[in-house]
């Protein structure tokens, strides 16, 4: 199966379980090739490739500056690779689902085709199916021919009228020809490739290995209970593309303008299914501050319109991100664009996990690589922007550094917010010490030779953040501290009183005034943290046991009470 889509056009139904788009399916072409049985297989392959190529060139002529997405499933993967090799001038994005490129190099192919030609028609049916699907043919398949011939004899009369043996043989030869052609032209492919695999299984062989190691190829793994990954109702193709940061409207990806907000079905899948146990464990309490200084539950104190810059302390292992994204979408119907560390966009790091993971959700829910340019453009578009000035130095802090701010000395984000008339909202998050306890921190890991070398090798693959900052505050080294779980407490958020920077032009030229505002914001973050640490002692439902009893009485969907603000 194969599909063609012009990137950037609104051609899909956002809440559909599968991506709907203008397409040209090879299953439709199959009706055509079955009528071409009098022609040679080479002619069939050439005509099939030519037909798809004409479709792509037509789409390219309509909008030459937009990418074209080609989805190739099994044999369609051979077509997609061949098409990309023949048309390097066209901006293509290939989404390959279990591509059939390994068919050409399986060791059983030289034996299989001659053997199938001399065995009665219906007896070979399971083996051609494996070959057509593009996977490697297991050794057990040959045992079918010798040990189970008599058991399928009653099926011959019924299926013989439905499936013609000549058609099956023709499909096998076409598959082999397409796989050989694609593998011989693989080195010419310049298109982006997103390779989707089921149950961590990818085609074996030299061609598949070359494909996986290509610089422009991303690999994603899925758990699926169907033999055809693209037909799984639990997998939304558009969501997969968005998670992989491969949805774009021009030749180069723009994290700011190419972002598509999550659909309702994506939101429900993430927060009502995948992350529901995690969020129930955290049981977050959201508080905000009105303009008169009164603290209330919920996000009432947060303005409705941007640009807004949220700044805060970054909790251990970033456990504060998911509750923030969920609550703003539920209550405010707004996406919070998180300024994220470059490690989340390092492909080797992303590919090491399953598709449904915390790291892929960063992109799906508005994450943007942290940089002054990206933040400026987001605020310019009146977005809600979340900045952790302490970065991963706070999120991956050392022992005894809980709730300690590691902010740089420069007040650059204050001047930027003032130049765009943005509102700054300082806020605090408390509760990490009730969930996790550091067992092996950065300093201790550096003393272990193996971990020391591992940390250095990982951090060589992406640019360092805040290299110009002197001292330990600028030590933005990525590592994974070893932690021990604790009996869960609760997570608390307090969004402080909004600080309006509109009209404060003196900040732009007066460094002293800018630093004064900067220190005020920093002290407000520290004040919200101190407030929450004190008030949580008054929460009768801080313990998970008390929360479980409350929800057992009033229902799991009931909002658990907390202290009086």
């Amino acid at each position: 199966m194969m599909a063609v889509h012009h990137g950037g056009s609104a051609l899909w139904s956002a809440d559909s379980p599968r991506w709907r788009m203008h397409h040209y399916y090879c299953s439709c072409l199959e009706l055509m090739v079955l009528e071409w049985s009098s022609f040679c297989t080479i002619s069939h392959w050439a005509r099939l490739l030519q037909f798809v190529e004409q479709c792509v060139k037509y789409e390219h002529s309509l909008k030459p500056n937009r990418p074209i997405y080609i989805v190739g499933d099994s044999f369609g993967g051979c077509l997609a690779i061949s098409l990309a090799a023949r048309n390097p001038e066209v901006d293509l994005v290939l989404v390959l689902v279990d591509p059939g490129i390994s068919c050409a190099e399986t060791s059983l192919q030289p034996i299989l085709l001659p053997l199938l030609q001399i065995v009665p028609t219906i007896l070979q049916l399971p083996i051609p199916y494996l070959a057509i699907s593009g996977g490697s043919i297991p050794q057990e398949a040959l045992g079918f021919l010798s040990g189970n011939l008599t058991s399928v004899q009653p099926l011959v009369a019924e299926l013989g009228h439905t499936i013609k043996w000549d058609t099956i043989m023709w499909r096998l030869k076409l598959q082999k020809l397409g796989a050989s052609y694609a593998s011989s032209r693989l080195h010419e492919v310049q298109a982006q490739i997103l390779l989707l695999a089921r149950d961590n299984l990818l085609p074996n062989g030299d061609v598949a290995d070359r494909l996986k190691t290509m610089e422009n190829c991303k690999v994603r793994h899925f758990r699926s209970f169907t033999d055809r990954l693209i037909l799984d109702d639990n997998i939304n193709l558009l969501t997969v593309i968005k998670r992989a940061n491969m949805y774009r409207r021009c030749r180069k990806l723009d994290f700011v303008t190419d972002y598509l907000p999550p659909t309702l079905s994506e939101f429900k899948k993430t927060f009502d299914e995948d992350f529901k146990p995690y969020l129930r464990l955290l049981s977050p309490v959201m508080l905000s501050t009105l303009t008169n200084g009164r603290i209330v539950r919920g996000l009432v104190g947060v303005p409705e319109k941007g640009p807004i810059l949220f700044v805060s302390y970054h909790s251990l292992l970033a456990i504060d991100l998911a509750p923030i994204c969920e609550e703003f979408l539920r209550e405010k119907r707004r996406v919070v664009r998180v300024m994220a560390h470059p490690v989340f966009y390092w492909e080797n790091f992303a590919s090491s996990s399953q598709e449904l993971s915390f790291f892929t959700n960063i992109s799906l829910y508005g994450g943007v690589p942290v940089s002054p340019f990206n933040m400026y453009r987001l605020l310019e578009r009146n977005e809600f922007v979340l900045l952790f000035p302490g970065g991963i130095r706070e999120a991956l802090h050392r022992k005894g550094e809980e709730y300690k701010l590691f902010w740089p000395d420069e007040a650059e984000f204050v001047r930027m917010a003032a130049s765009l008339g943005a509102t700054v909202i300082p806020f605090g998050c408390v509760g990490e010490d009730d969930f996790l306890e550091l067992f092996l921190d950065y300093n201790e890991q550096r003393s272990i030779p193996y971990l020391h070398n591992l940390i250095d090798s990982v951090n060589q693959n992406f640019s360092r953040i805040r290299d110009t900052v002197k001292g330990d505050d600028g030590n933005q080294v990525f590592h994974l501290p070893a932690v021990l779980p604790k009996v869960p407490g609760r997570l608390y958020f307090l969004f402080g009183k909004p600080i309006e920077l509109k009209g404060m032009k003196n900040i732009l030229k007066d460094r002293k005034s800018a630093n004064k505002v900067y220190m005020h914001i920093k002290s407000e973050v520290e004040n919200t943290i101190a407030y929450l640490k004190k008030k949580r002692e008054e929460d009768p439902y801080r313990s998970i046991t008390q929360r479980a009893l409350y929800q057992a009485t009033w229902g799991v969907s009931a909002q658990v009470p907390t202290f009086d603000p």
Side-chain angles (χ1 to χ4, degrees):
M1 184 167 59
M2 183 176 181
V4 180
H5 169 68
H6 214 302
S9 303
L11 302 179
W12 55 78
S13 174
D15 289 316
S16 172
R18 287 192 288 270
W19 191 13
R20 297 176 181 174
M21 49 193 164
H22 287 317
H23 50 271
Y24 306 91
Y25 282 112
C26 283
S27 56
C28 298
L29 299 178
E30 183 179 342
L31 299 177
M32 301 168 59
V33 298
L34 289 178
E35 298 175 358
W36 297 345
S37 57
S38 59
F39 296 98
C40 66
T41 306
I42 296 178
S43 176
H44 294 165
W45 167 256
R47 293 192 181 195
L48 187 60
L49 184 57
Q50 184 181 18
F51 176 82
V52 179
E53 191 172 40
Q54 289 174 350
C55 297
V56 169
K57 287 185 176 180
Y58 174 74
E59 292 284 339
H60 179 64
S61 66
L62 296 178
K63 295 182 179 179
N65 296 323
R66 293 287 182 95
I68 298 176
Y69 287 76
I70 302 180
V71 181
D73 185 9
S74 186
F75 177 66
C78 300
L79 276 173
I81 293 173
S82 304
L83 180 68
R86 288 162 57 99
N87 299 272
E89 74 283 355
V90 181
D91 186 10
L92 298 176
V93 180
L94 309 184
V95 183
L96 306 180
V97 186
D98 294 328
I101 54 176
S102 63
C103 178
E105 56 184 22
T106 175
S107 59
L108 292 177
Q109 279 291 340
I111 304 174
L112 181 65
L113 289 178
L115 184 61
L116 294 180
Q117 292 174 353
I118 62 175
V119 180
T121 301
I122 191 60
L123 302 184
Q124 293 82 22
L125 187 58
I127 297 179
Y129 173 78
L130 290 173
I132 292 171
S133 68
S136 299
I137 303 175
Q139 294 289 341
E140 292 80 1
L142 293 180
F144 175 83
L145 294 175
S146 60
N148 299 295
L149 299 183
T150 57
S151 63
V152 296
Q153 289 293 342
L155 300 176
V156 174
E158 296 183 17
L159 295 181
H161 299 290
T162 305
I163 303 176
K164 300 298 183 182
W165 179 241
D166 291 342
T167 300
I168 294 178
M169 291 301 302
W170 177 86
R171 287 288 302 272
L172 279 173
K173 292 178 181 178
L174 189 65
Q175 171 79 36
K176 188 178 189 316
L177 180 62
S180 298
Y181 185 91
S183 63
S184 66
R185 304 289 296 272
L186 190 60
H187 64 282
E188 301 178 26
V189 175
Q190 300 180 18
Q192 275 188 293
I193 300 174
L194 178 58
L195 183 58
L196 310 183
R198 181 172 57 90
D199 297 333
N200 289 329
L201 296 179
L202 284 173
N204 296 318
D206 178 65
V207 176
D209 292 337
R210 286 164 53 200
L211 184 64
K212 288 182 285 185
T213 56
M214 290 176 64
E215 184 179 356
N216 57 349
C217 179
K218 297 183 179 182
V219 182
R220 293 294 181 270
H221 305 290
F222 295 86
R223 296 185 180 93
S224 176
F225 297 100
T226 64
D227 59 342
R228 308 306 302 172
L229 185 65
I230 201 171
L231 298 180
D232 193 327
D233 289 338
N234 295 319
I235 297 175
N236 186 309
L237 191 55
L238 177 58
T239 304
V240 173
I241 294 173
K242 289 161 62 177
R243 287 177 182 271
N245 295 309
M246 292 187 69
Y247 178 82
R248 53 187 174 86
R249 296 180 174 89
C250 299
R251 283 193 171 270
K252 186 177 181 181
L253 173 65
D254 188 323
F255 285 97
V256 175
T257 59
D258 287 337
Y259 175 68
L260 288 178
T263 64
L264 181 59
S265 62
E266 290 172 338
F267 175 82
K268 290 181 177 179
K269 180 69 170 62
T270 301
F271 296 109
D272 292 343
E273 296 180 27
D274 300 332
F275 278 69
K276 188 174 183 178
Y278 172 72
L279 292 170
R280 184 171 293 176
L281 194 68
L282 296 179
S283 186
V285 174
M286 294 283 175
L287 305 171
S288 61
T289 308
L290 303 179
T291 54
N292 60 5
R294 180 188 172 194
I295 298 176
V296 295
R297 189 163 188 181
L299 302 178
V300 181
V302 177
E304 299 292 332
K305 297 181 180 181
I308 297 178
L309 179 62
F310 299 91
V311 292
S312 181
Y313 161 83
H314 209 358
S315 294
L316 182 64
L317 295 180
I319 65 173
D320 46 8
L321 285 182
I324 294 174
C325 293
E326 182 200 21
E327 193 64 25
F328 272 87
L329 280 167
R330 286 193 187 276
E331 187 172 337
K332 292 291 186 179
R333 301 293 191 271
R334 290 296 299 261
V335 174
V336 177
R337 307 299 301 273
V338 181
M339 305 304 297
H341 192 276
V343 70
F344 295 113
Y345 304 92
W346 180 39
E347 184 50 34
N348 291 343
F349 185 73
S351 296
S352 63
S353 61
Q354 289 286 331
E355 168 62 17
L356 296 178
S357 68
F358 169 80
F359 303 106
T360 59
N361 276 313
I362 294 292
S363 297
L364 185 61
Y365 288 93
V368 177
V370 60
S371 73
F373 181 65
N374 284 340
M375 189 170 74
Y376 183 91
R377 295 179 63 211
L378 287 170
L379 293 175
E380 192 178 33
R381 293 164 59 89
N382 297 323
E383 299 271 12
F384 283 20
V385 182
L386 174 57
L387 174 67
F388 296 106
I392 63 171
R393 179 60 184 86
E394 291 174 354
L396 306 177
H397 60 69
R398 326 305 188 224
K399 291 181 178 179
E401 294 179 348
E402 297 84 357
Y403 308 117
K404 180 180 179 181
L405 273 58
F406 290 91
W407 287 19
D409 295 332
E410 294 79 6
E412 296 304 321
F413 76 80
V414 173
R415 278 193 284 268
M416 182 183 297
S419 66
L420 296 171
T423 299
V424 176
I425 298 183
F427 73 96
C429 175
V430 167
E432 65 173 46
D433 52 338
D434 275 352
F435 287 90
L436 303 170
E437 180 178 353
L438 274 173
F439 172 70
L440 202 63
D441 66 9
Y442 172 77
N443 295 328
E444 293 168 326
Q445 290 184 15
R446 296 287 292 183
S447 63
I448 302 174
Y450 171 77
L451 295 179
H452 178 99
N453 296 333
L454 180 62
I455 292 173
D456 289 342
S457 63
V458 167
N459 285 270
Q460 288 175 356
N461 290 280
F462 49 85
S463 58
R464 295 282 298 275
I465 305 298
R466 283 165 50 178
D467 276 347
T468 58
V469 179
K470 298 180 180 180
D472 199 36
D473 288 6
N475 187 5
Q476 296 283 311
V477 178
F478 182 82
H479 68 288
L480 288 178
V483 297
L484 296 175
K486 300 174 66 175
V487 177
R490 202 172 188 182
L491 213 60
Y492 302 87
F493 294 86
L494 172 58
F495 293 87
K497 186 177 180 181
I499 301 175
E500 296 279 353
L501 297 185
K502 187 176 182 180
M504 299 182 66
K505 298 297 184 180
N506 61 312
I507 294 179
L508 302 179
K509 298 180 180 180
D510 188 350
R511 183 176 295 273
K512 185 176 293 186
S513 299
N515 288 336
K516 184 178 180 180
V517 175
Y518 178 78
M519 296 307 297
H520 172 63
I521 294 172
K522 185 177 181 181
S523 65
E524 284 297 302
V525 172
E526 293 172 332
N527 290 338
T528 57
I529 292 175
Y531 173 88
L532 292 173
K533 289 174 67 177
K534 179 181 179 181
K535 295 293 290 185
R536 69 175 175 175
E537 302 293 338
E538 304 174 11
D539 186 2
Y541 299 98
R542 178 180 175 184
S543 169
I544 190 174
T545 304
Q546 296 300 323
R547 296 198 301 273
L549 291 175
Y550 182 90
Q551 291 185 325
T553 303
W554 299 98
V556 294
S557 60
Q559 186 182 53
V560 181
T562 186
F563 57 80
D564 292 327

